[in-house]
Each structure stands twice: as C-alpha cells, then as structure tokens.
C-alpha cells in the first residue's frame, strides 16, 4: 500500500521506522516543527530527519488545515494514512481521503485514556496494565473502531520511563501487523464501548505540584509517574522548590497535619500525607532522594538534618 504518515517525537519515529521496514511504500510524511514545550522536548527523536534520510518528502505543520496540505496528500494517491502522536485534530477531508481511511496508533488501551499523556495518567491512577491501540480515526477523539491492542503489566516499582520504553517497543509490531491485516482484507474492526471512555488533557508543570492531602500511595505513584526525564513532582521547603526523585510508602502509620516533616524511617524521611492523616491510621510518604533547583541531588536523610517544619504546595 501507499502510505502517508502523520507523526511526531519518538512515537512517530518508531511508527515511521516500522513503515519503512515494511513492504509498504511511504510516499509522504507530515510532522510538527520542533517545539520548546517541556514535554515535547522529551522523547524527541526527529520524524523529519528519519524521513529525509530515506528520501521521503516531508511537510511541517502545526495544524493540518490548509488547502496546500490536502492537495499534497491527494497528489500522492495514498491507500492509507497512518498517524501516531499527531498533536492536533485531523479534519475528515484528510482522515477519510484514502480508500482505507486513517489508522491511528494511540499509547493507551482505548477506550480508556484517550487524549494526552496516557501512560503518566494511568500510572498515577494505579492501573494494572498499559498499552497501545491501533484504531480507525473518526471525527471523535480516539474513538474509532479498534483493530489491534497490545499491553504490558505495570509493576509495583515501574516508573513512567520504564513503561514508555516497554510500550514504545509495541509500536513497530502493531503497525506492521495492522497494515498487513488491512492490505490482505482480513482486518476485523471492533467498535469501542463508549461507556468506558475517559479523556485526559496535556500535562503541565502545575500537574506535578504535590498536594500533601493525597494519600501516600497516590503520591508514591505520582512520583514514579514523574520520573526522569519528565519534570519531577515538586513541593516547597522553607520557600524553595524541591523535586522528589525517589519515594516509597512508609512501613508505619503516622498521624498529624499533611506535609509535616516527621521522622526518619529506614533510608528515608517520612512526610505526613492524606486528608484524613489526623486519624493516625495512614501511611506517610517516605522520601528517599530529592533534587534542589540548582540540580543538586540529595539523600533525604542528608537534606532534612532536623525533623519538624512542613513541605508546602507553594512557597
């Protein structure tokens, strides 16, 4: 089949590589210009550079809404469009243009976690599995019929970085298998159960701010979800921002006011957590390692020399 590809960052790069390695012909690539957005500078393998290396024409667009782009796609006579990590809405004039429409590859187990940053949100929410879905694009966000899904288990110590690497490795096989099914006429499309749908927005720095009224279990997942190279979850100590790099749920229960720097336990320092922490029946967050704004990393037991005082959401 003749394929037009829309994509960006490492997800798009893996998709394009799979297409280039397949028996299908990539006739045009559309990707976004380089961005300074903090999350878009992560996993930033260049789709444009890979396409140019293989002699595939490239068009750069922030939004795919101009007549020139539509005409360029039409001129390539594609059999299918394949999209992965395209950051803006594709109009029906584009996604319905080829005979086989548009195959979108999304890094969640749809219908759950449609939208943005699905792995981070899924880890924060304690999901047991994450994965990748290949589905047919339609006018609704990540709502089209599903062709294939592949998943991996979320382990108790997995970070978002761990899950990124495991799920991004699913992209090549799912793209290749999907196109082979479509080309052979053996594709079986399954409608999504929209009663199970959920939608998530792009993450921003504000979403990494620690709220000490969350339970220790929730905060521990937030910190794993904001692992390097993502912007780490952060709080403030004596007016200065600190980033929590490594943490766990405490062994004992601790009561008091959320955010209180309480006591050493094992290799860390316990911070009181949870809206109902005053009951004394809640675990605390055991902070093990943190990083100051100048980039210096400390063991929590070295940074918090004395107990007492509070960690706060704002200075």
């Amino acid at each position: 089949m003749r394929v037009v590809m829309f994509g960006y960052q490492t997800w798009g790069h893996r998709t394009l590589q799979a297409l280039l390695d397949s028996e299908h012909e990539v006739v045009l690539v559309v990707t976004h210009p380089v961005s300074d957005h903090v999350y878009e500078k992560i996993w930033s393998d260049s789709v444009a550079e890979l396409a140019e290396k293989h002699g595939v024409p490239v068009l750069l667009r922030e939004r795919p809404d101009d007549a020139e782009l539509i005409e360029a796609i039409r001129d390539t006579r594609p059999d299918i469009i394949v999209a992965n990590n395209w950051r803006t809405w594709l109009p029906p004039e584009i996604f319905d243009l080829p005979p086989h429409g548009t195959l979108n590859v999304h890094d969640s187990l749809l219908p759950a976690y449609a939208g943005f940053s699905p792995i981070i949100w899924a880890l924060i929410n304690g999901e047991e599995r994450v994965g990748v879905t290949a589905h047919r694009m339609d006018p609704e966000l990540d709502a089209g019929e599903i062709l294939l899904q592949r998943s991996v288990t979320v382990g108790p110590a997995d970070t978002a970085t761990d899950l990124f690497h495991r799920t991004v490795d699913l992209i090549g096989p799912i793209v290749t298998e999907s196109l082979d099914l479509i080309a052979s006429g053996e594709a079986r499309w399954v409608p999504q159960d929209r009663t199970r749908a959920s939608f998530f927005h792009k993450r921003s720095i504000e979403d990494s701010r620690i709220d000490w009224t969350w339970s220790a279990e929730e905060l521990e997942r937030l910190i794993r979800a904001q692992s390097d190279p993502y912007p780490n979850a952060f709080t403030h100590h004596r007016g200065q921002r600190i980033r929590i790099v490594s943490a766990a749920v405490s062994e004992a229960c601790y009561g008091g006011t959320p955010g209180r720097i309480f006591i050493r336990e094992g290799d860390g320092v316990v911070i009181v957590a949870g809206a109902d922490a005053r009951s004394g029946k809640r675990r605390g967050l055991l902070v093990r390692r943190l990083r100051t704004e100048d980039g210096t990393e400390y063991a929590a037991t070295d940074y918090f020399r004395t107990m007492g005082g509070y960690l706060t959401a704002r200075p």
Side-chain angles (χ1 to χ4, degrees):
M1 293 190 295
R2 294 171 61 81
V3 182
V4 169
M5 185 265 180
F6 278 74
Y8 189 49
Q9 294 179 282
T10 300
W11 297 270
H13 190 279
R14 289 292 187 96
T15 302
L16 178 56
Q17 187 64 65
L19 293 170
L20 292 168
D21 291 341
S22 75
E23 63 182 19
H24 308 285
E25 180 186 4
V26 184
V27 294
L28 178 66
V29 165
V30 187
T31 188
H32 296 300
V34 175
S35 170
D36 288 330
H37 188 284
V38 62
Y39 279 93
E40 294 185 5
K41 292 167 71 175
I42 304 169
W43 317 128
S44 57
D45 293 303
S46 173
V47 170
E49 290 179 8
L50 180 60
E52 290 164 356
K53 176 181 176 182
H54 288 268
V56 179
V58 178
L59 294 176
L60 299 179
R61 291 292 190 277
E62 291 287 358
R63 303 187 66 83
D65 53 5
D66 60 279
E68 179 185 2
L69 175 60
I70 295 172
E71 189 62 28
I73 297 170
R74 186 176 288 115
D75 287 347
T76 66
R77 294 176 290 105
D79 295 299
I80 192 168
I81 293 172
V82 177
N84 191 350
N85 198 41
W86 181 259
R87 311 299 277 177
T88 59
W89 182 68
L90 286 181
E93 292 83 1
I94 290 179
F95 70 69
D96 275 342
L97 190 154
H100 291 292
T102 295
L103 181 78
N104 188 50
V105 182
H106 180 70
D107 54 336
S108 83
L109 298 175
L110 293 174
Y113 296 94
F116 299 91
S117 305
I119 288 175
I120 295 177
W121 289 114
L123 182 50
I124 290 170
N125 290 331
E127 301 293 349
E128 295 180 353
R129 302 190 71 83
V130 295
V132 173
T133 301
H135 69 102
R136 196 199 311 269
M137 188 174 287
D138 69 11
E140 295 186 57
L141 178 64
D142 297 328
E145 296 174 318
I146 292 171
L147 178 56
L148 291 175
Q149 286 188 324
R150 297 289 182 268
S151 68
V152 296
T153 301
V154 179
D158 279 338
T159 66
T161 308
D162 297 327
L163 297 175
F164 162 80
H165 287 298
R166 297 219 298 276
T167 56
V168 81
D169 285 344
L170 301 175
I171 291 174
I174 206 170
V175 167
T176 301
E177 186 177 349
S178 294
L179 288 194
D180 290 347
L181 286 170
I182 293 167
S184 67
E186 297 177 0
R188 298 292 178 265
W189 302 91
V190 179
Q192 294 189 35
D193 178 357
R194 303 310 295 157
T195 65
R196 296 175 49 238
S198 57
F199 304 88
F200 288 82
H201 59 75
K202 290 182 181 180
R203 288 189 66 80
S204 68
I205 295 300
E206 182 63 26
D207 299 310
S208 300
R209 188 186 303 275
I210 292 175
D211 179 349
W212 292 103
T213 65
W214 286 22
S215 71
E217 292 81 4
E218 291 170 322
L219 291 175
E220 188 269 343
R221 293 197 302 267
L222 172 67
I223 289 157
R224 284 191 284 126
Q226 297 295 155
S227 55
D228 293 338
Y230 294 104
N232 304 119
F234 67 91
T235 186
H236 290 84
H237 180 237
R238 297 176 178 171
Q240 301 300 310
R241 181 183 293 192
I242 57 173
R243 302 177 185 276
I244 308 301
V245 176
S246 175
V249 177
S250 69
E251 292 290 334
C253 295
Y254 298 93
T257 302
R260 177 76 174 189
I261 304 164
F262 195 171
I263 194 171
R264 293 189 180 193
E265 183 184 275
D267 60 352
V269 173
V270 175
I271 313 299
V272 177
D276 56 351
R278 70 178 70 87
S279 69
K281 298 178 181 179
R282 285 288 187 178
R283 309 283 178 177
L285 185 74
L286 182 73
V287 176
R288 287 178 168 146
R289 299 197 66 82
L290 58 89
R291 188 178 294 139
T292 54
E293 283 293 88
D294 65 2
T296 304
E297 188 168 315
Y298 297 87
T301 50
D302 292 334
Y303 184 84
F304 298 113
R305 297 291 184 146
T306 59
M307 299 299 100
Y310 292 86
L311 298 181
T312 57
R314 289 176 168 76

